[in-house]
């Protein structure tokens, strides 16, 4: 088949479709819905992935957190609860011994606390007691003001750096710097605001306040709580080395007998990767199920309408063959028509999807991109054309095999 | 005379109608030479259309030999036959067989699409041919906006546009009144003068008289094959 013939064939296909607009539109509904789900699913997973990447970066891809608690589940809850707390002394000993880490520091954490600005209360805030070195971790990026200094740290200064949500809720349109925030009954001066770190799965990251560790102990006490240790490996490549050293030292510090399981956790950003797997599978499962279903319905619709079209146009097929159309020409003509039908459906789906995606992002304030990713657009277009070709194959073959004389006599 | 453009020997065509065999053609032999003007006549059901379909490579004989320009049609595959129909033969049908949704111009362009000719050249050739048949001012009309005679002119233009060596016309005037029929016959005559070979199926003696040779068929066999020494000029 020559190119000029193929171009003409494509033109013929679109003309045939537009001469039967309503029928074409109804036929393509299944495909519209199918592509709609494909695109939406792809977009959701894409958004999920980019959100996860953001989360990893916020946690730090080269960070390890030695803790009593495991971030991700799957372990015996009772066993974890029965673990002894990591004491401040153990944490300090650990920090002293570890050699391979770039930065290492103990940190105290108090969950679900209340903070107060004038007469405004904010609940569910995590108070983090951290050394000044915390500024070196990804969590220490301040967008306003600064992190506290070594001097303030050593002197238990009453200074606080607040998380993004805390600033947004308490100081929606005023400057928080220099204001006084009450934490655990003590007044702190706000000196910095941390950049937005959380995503919709890690919103808690922005509901935190950071104060010097010594001040933290002053309010919440240093005993009766488990201290966690932040370890910055320096690079992802060094994670393995640092992790094994950390485990060895921690076992030593806690006198874990050989052969016994670790009685502490080494947490990493990878834990969220695990968590996200379930989400991905859920999105994929629902998306693929709905997509497959609507594609099957769509294909049956397209196949049906193509059979009708071929029968209706038997005479036309006869005429074309009499004038020199080969079987291949007729085959391509009807395949192109089926593909064009599906492609039109895909375009309609793209338009609907764009609207839905934009609205979703606006309403739920998602960090997902508010448009269809271009790669996905390409894939969906390809899939739609493929679906058309598969659905149109049998009718098109039938058209191409028609006996010319019989077709010409058809009324 | 020179070598025949069409040579058929002992052609038969049998339709198998669920066990019952219909012998549309029993034993037909013919030689047709370049630039002949032949009318095929015969009563209804005698096998004229069947013969035309075979000559036009739309259908193949059940038995017998068909040499087209010296080539054995039996040896040709589907694509070869399509190519012969496209390049060597121009069909004109009783019922016009135009594409109803396409303009006259598009209809005439159609065979050129299958010759793989570029869009602009196609257009140019179709316009020239439509003008030749006197439809230069009706090119953008669709078939249902044209009279019967005009439709048949479009069909003739479509048959001519690829410059085929043979024009096959199966009752081209069957759906036209006498006057319009004569106009179409005039077109054929012009084509014959330009060197085309013309094979025409007709019922009507008046129409057949334009041809230079008349082949009569009865019950699937050639009844007579005579020269018309005194053809009428339209
Ligand atoms: N596709 C077919 N299947 C079965 N029988 C057929 C078929 N086409 C033609 N015939 C039979 O073959 C015989 C010859 O038919 P054909 O159409 O060639 O006649 P014709 O001479 O063209 O007649 P008319 O003048 O009425 O057009 C008829 O008996 C017809 O019924
Ligand atoms: Mg007939």
């Amino acid at each position: 088949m020559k190119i000029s013939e193929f171009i003409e064939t494509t033109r013929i296909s679109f003309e045939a479709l537009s001469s039967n607009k309503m029928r074409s539109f109804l036929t393509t509904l299944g495909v519209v819905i199918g592509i709609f789900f494909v695109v939406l699913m792809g977009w959701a997973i894409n958004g999920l992935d980019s959100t996860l990447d953001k989360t990893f970066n916020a946690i730090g891809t080269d960070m390890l957190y030695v803790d009593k608690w495991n971030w991700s589940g799957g372990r015996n809850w009772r066993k974890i609860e029965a673990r002894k707390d990591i004491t401040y002394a153990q944490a300090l000993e650990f920090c002293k011994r570890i050699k391979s880490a770039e930065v290492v520091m103990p940190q105290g954490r108090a969950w679900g606390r209340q903070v107060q600005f004038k007469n405004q209360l904010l609940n569910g805030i995590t108070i983090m007691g951290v050394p000044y070195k915390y500024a070196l971790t990804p969590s220490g990026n301040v967008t306003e003001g600064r992190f506290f200094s070594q001097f303030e740290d050593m002197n238990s200064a009453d200074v606080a750096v607040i998380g993004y949500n805390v600033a947004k809720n308490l100081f929606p349109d005023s400057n928080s710097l220099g204001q006084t925030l009450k934490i655990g009954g003590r007044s702190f001066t706000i000196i910095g605001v941390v950049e937005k770190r959380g995503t919709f799965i890690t919103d808690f990251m922005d509901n935190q306040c950071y104060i010097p560790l010594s001040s933290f102990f002053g309010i919440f006490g240093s005993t009766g709580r488990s201290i966690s240790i932040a370890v910055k490996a320096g690079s992802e490549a060094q994670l393995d080395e640092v992790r094994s050293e950390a485990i060895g030292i921690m076992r030593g510090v806690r006198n874990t007998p050989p052969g016994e399981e670790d009685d502490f956790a080494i947490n990493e950003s990878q834990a969220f990767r695990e968590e996200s797997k379930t989400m991905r599978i859920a999105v994929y499962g629902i998306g693929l199920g709905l997509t497959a279903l609507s594609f099957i319905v769509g294909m049956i619709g397209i196949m049906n309408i193509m059979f009708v079209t071929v029968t209706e146009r038997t005479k036309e097929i006869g005429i074309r063959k009499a004038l020199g159309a080969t079987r291949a020409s007729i085959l391509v003509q009807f395949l192109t028509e089926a593909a064009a039908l599906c492609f039109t459906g895909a375009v309609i789906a793209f338009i609907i999807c764009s609207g839905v995606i934009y609205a979703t992002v606006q309403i739920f304030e998602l960090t997902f991109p508010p448009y269809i990713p271009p790669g996905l657009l390409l894939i969906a277009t390809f899939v739609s054309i493929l679906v058309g070709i598969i659905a149109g194959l049998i009718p098109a073959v039938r058209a191409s095999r028609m006996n010319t004389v019989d077709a010409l006599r058809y009324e | 005379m020179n070598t025949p453009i069409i040579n058929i020997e002992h052609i038969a065509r049998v339709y198998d109608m669920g066990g019952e065999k219909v012998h549309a053609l029993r034993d037909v032999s013919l030689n047709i030479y370049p630039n002949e003007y032949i009318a095929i006549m015969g009563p209804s059901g005698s096998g004229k259309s069947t013969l035309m379909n075979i000559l036009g490579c739309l259908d193949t004989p059940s038995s017998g030999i068909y040499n087209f320009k010296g080539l054995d049609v039996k040896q040709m595959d589907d694509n070869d036959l399509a190519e012969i129909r496209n390049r060597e033969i121009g069909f004109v049908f009783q019922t016009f067989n135009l594409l109803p949704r396409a303009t006259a111009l598009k209809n005439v362009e159609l065979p050129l699409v299958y010759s793989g000719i570029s869009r602009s050249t196609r257009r140019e050739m179709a316009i020239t041919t439509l003008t030749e048949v006197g439809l230069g001012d009706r090119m953008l009309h669709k078939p249902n906006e044209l009279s019967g005679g005009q439709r048949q002119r479009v069909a003739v233009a479509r048959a001519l546009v690829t410059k085929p060596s043979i024009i096959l016309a199966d009752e081209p005037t069957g759906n036209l009144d006498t006057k319009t029929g004569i106009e179409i016959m005039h077109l054929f005559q012009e084509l014959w003068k330009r060197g085309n070979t013309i094979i025409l199926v007709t019922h009507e003696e008046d129409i057949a008289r334009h041809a230079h040779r008349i082949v009569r068929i009865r019950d699937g066999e050639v009844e007579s094959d005579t020269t018309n020494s005194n053809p009428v000029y339209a």
Side-chain angles (χ1 to χ4, degrees):
Chain A
M1 181 168 319
K2 290 106 185 165
I3 292 179
S4 62
E5 185 189 332
F6 183 73
I7 295 170
E8 185 62 23
T9 304
T10 312
R11 203 195 317 276
I12 292 166
S13 303
F14 276 101
E15 273 171 17
L17 293 183
S18 65
S19 72
N20 234 325
K21 287 193 191 67
M22 196 60 193
R23 190 169 88 179
S24 305
F25 173 72
L26 290 176
T27 310
T28 170
L29 261 184
V31 174
V32 172
I33 297 169
I35 293 289
F36 177 81
F37 284 130
V38 167
V39 170
L40 224 54
M41 176 183 72
W43 171 76
I45 285 176
N46 188 286
L48 206 59
D49 285 348
S50 72
T51 302
L52 281 171
D53 282 344
K54 267 186 207 151
T55 306
F56 296 156
N57 290 332
I59 296 169
T61 49
D62 67 335
M63 293 293 293
L64 299 173
Y65 293 86
V66 183
D67 207 330
K68 175 179 170 184
W69 308 98
N70 290 72
W71 282 356
S72 57
R75 259 167 259 245
N76 189 333
W77 175 250
R78 269 160 208 266
K79 231 181 188 171
I80 291 176
E81 198 160 31
R83 284 174 182 168
K84 286 207 187 79
D85 287 340
I86 299 175
T87 64
Y88 187 46
Q90 286 175 343
L92 285 180
E93 184 60 25
F94 176 91
C95 293
K96 203 159 66 187
R97 286 204 210 163
I98 192 153
K99 292 285 173 300
S100 57
E102 188 181 283
V103 184
V104 59
M105 71 194 89
Q107 51 185 41
R109 194 166 41 202
W111 298 97
R113 302 297 162 143
Q114 195 179 60
V115 297
Q116 187 180 358
F117 168 64
K118 288 185 178 152
N119 52 3
Q120 270 179 274
L121 292 174
L122 204 57
N123 287 307
I125 303 301
T126 304
I127 311 299
M128 301 283 290
V130 293
Y132 73 97
K133 281 190 284 187
Y134 194 78
L136 300 174
T137 70
S139 322
N141 286 336
V142 289
T143 47
E144 285 173 52
R146 59 178 178 86
F147 214 82
F148 40 81
S149 64
Q150 187 173 8
F151 182 76
E152 285 163 325
D153 184 10
M154 279 164 60
N155 290 290
S156 315
D158 292 334
V159 288
V161 175
I162 59 176
Y164 178 83
N165 283 351
V166 178
K168 201 176 83 174
N169 289 325
L170 289 180
F171 311 96
D173 27 44
S174 61
N175 193 347
S176 58
L177 298 184
Q179 302 287 4
T180 302
L181 190 69
K182 276 210 162 137
I183 301 173
R186 223 158 114 175
S187 294
F188 284 80
T189 305
I190 299 170
I191 59 163
V193 179
V194 176
E195 68 172 0
K196 181 166 169 52
R197 300 168 58 203
T199 55
F200 75 103
I201 48 170
T202 53
D203 198 44
F204 65 88
M205 286 187 165
D206 294 322
N207 293 324
Q208 293 180 330
C209 288
Y210 308 86
I211 57 176
L213 186 56
S214 43
S215 310
F216 178 88
F217 287 149
I219 300 170
F220 302 105
S222 60
T223 53
R225 66 177 52 258
S226 190
I227 302 296
S228 77
I229 306 160
V231 183
K232 184 173 163 62
S235 74
E236 280 179 60
Q238 275 170 286
L239 267 179
D240 286 337
E241 188 195 338
V242 175
R243 189 188 304 109
S244 58
E245 195 195 356
I247 292 172
I249 293 173
M250 203 58 196
R251 287 178 74 96
V253 165
R254 282 165 76 86
N255 292 319
T256 317
E260 198 137 304
E261 222 176 275
D262 294 346
D263 63 342
F264 54 89
I266 305 276
N267 292 315
E268 295 170 55
S269 56
Q270 294 303 325
F272 285 91
R273 181 101 52 190
E274 291 298 315
E275 203 120 300
S276 75
K277 259 188 196 152
T278 359
M279 262 168 132
R280 269 180 88 104
I281 290 170
V283 174
Y284 264 129
I286 298 170
L288 280 183
L290 292 174
T291 307
L293 203 72
S294 35
F295 271 143
I296 289 170
V297 173
M299 270 198 206
I300 293 172
I302 302 258
M303 198 183 289
N304 180 50
I305 213 72
M306 288 314 291
F307 271 126
V308 173
T309 303
V310 166
T311 308
E312 273 178 354
R313 285 161 54 194
T314 299
K315 183 128 194 168
E316 174 189 324
I317 295 165
I319 294 171
R320 289 180 186 276
K321 285 189 136 189
L323 298 180
T326 57
R327 281 186 182 181
S329 303
I330 301 292
L331 186 79
V332 169
Q333 181 188 336
F334 285 96
L335 285 183
T336 311
E337 195 165 318
L341 198 60
C342 288
F343 176 72
T344 311
V347 171
I348 296 173
F350 292 157
I351 294 169
I352 300 174
C353 271
S354 299
V356 169
I357 286 172
Y358 187 77
T360 311
V361 169
Q362 293 299 317
I363 294 168
F364 298 103
E365 293 186 42
L366 291 181
T367 46
F368 289 20
Y371 50 82
I372 306 173
L376 192 59
L377 214 59
L378 221 65
I379 293 171
T381 305
F382 178 75
V383 166
S384 73
I385 290 174
L386 195 70
V387 163
I389 289 175
I390 294 171
L393 195 60
I394 300 173
V397 167
R398 186 200 232 180
S400 72
R401 295 254 171 100
M402 266 182 194
N403 177 293
T404 314
V405 177
D406 293 343
L408 273 172
R409 285 154 62 110
Y410 184 88
E411 287 304 330
Chain B
M1 257 197 274
N2 42 11
T3 50
I5 189 165
I6 283 174
N7 158 243
I8 54 174
E9 280 169 36
H10 309 296
I11 287 276
R13 179 67 169 96
V14 185
Y15 292 107
D16 197 342
M17 297 294 287
E20 197 194 333
K21 295 201 188 315
V22 179
H23 292 264
L25 290 179
R26 288 170 193 280
D27 182 3
V28 178
S29 300
L30 272 180
N31 279 327
I32 298 172
Y33 295 89
N35 201 211
E36 277 202 283
Y37 190 164
I38 301 183
I40 296 177
M41 298 199 70
S44 185
S46 56
K48 305 183 295 293
S49 294
T50 305
L51 178 60
M52 283 300 253
N53 290 340
I54 289 173
L55 294 182
C57 295
L58 291 171
D59 193 11
T60 45
S62 310
S63 61
I65 296 167
Y66 179 9
N67 289 311
F68 183 90
K69 283 193 166 175
L71 299 170
D72 186 357
V73 172
K74 211 175 239 150
Q75 307 295 326
M76 298 183 187
D77 66 15
D78 232 63
N79 287 345
D80 297 332
L81 295 176
E83 192 173 327
I84 290 202
R85 291 197 293 269
N86 184 245
R87 307 202 170 218
E88 302 285 353
I89 294 164
F91 289 102
V92 180
F93 303 94
Q94 178 175 358
T95 52
F96 320 136
N97 283 345
L98 299 174
L99 295 186
R101 281 197 291 264
T103 60
L105 191 60
K106 279 275 179 193
N107 266 292
V108 176
E109 276 186 47
L110 195 56
L112 300 175
V113 170
Y114 297 117
S115 317
I117 290 172
S118 77
R119 192 168 152 74
S120 54
T121 316
R122 256 177 3 227
R123 180 127 303 181
E124 216 170 280
M125 289 170 80
I127 290 173
T128 310
T129 316
L130 274 167
T131 310
E132 272 171 26
V133 300
L135 282 179
D137 54 344
R138 292 281 191 283
M139 290 191 290
L140 297 180
H141 290 244
K142 294 195 173 155
N144 63 358
E145 299 159 355
L146 296 170
S147 73
Q150 287 169 335
R151 285 182 215 184
Q152 198 60 302
R153 281 166 192 269
V154 175
V156 171
R158 184 180 65 184
L160 289 180
V161 74
T162 54
K163 303 192 167 48
S165 40
I166 303 175
I167 303 286
L168 290 180
D170 193 348
E171 313 234 17
T173 59
N175 278 7
L176 304 175
D177 61 35
T178 316
K179 185 171 162 286
T180 327
I182 298 293
E183 281 169 22
I184 296 297
M185 293 324 291
H186 177 73
L187 273 180
F188 283 148
Q189 203 167 311
E190 293 299 310
L191 294 178
W192 170 75
K193 277 188 194 156
R194 286 200 326 212
N196 275 101
T197 309
I198 293 171
I199 307 173
L200 175 78
V201 166
T202 183
H203 270 115
E204 302 166 66
E205 295 289 347
D206 283 350
I207 295 296
R209 241 174 277 163
H210 292 83
H212 301 206
R213 177 178 164 194
I214 299 176
V215 176
R216 289 178 199 274
I217 301 218
R218 181 178 295 272
D219 290 335
E221 290 183 43
V222 177
E223 186 187 46
S224 69
D225 186 347
T226 55
T227 307
N228 179 14
S229 51
N230 195 13
V232 178
Y233 291 93

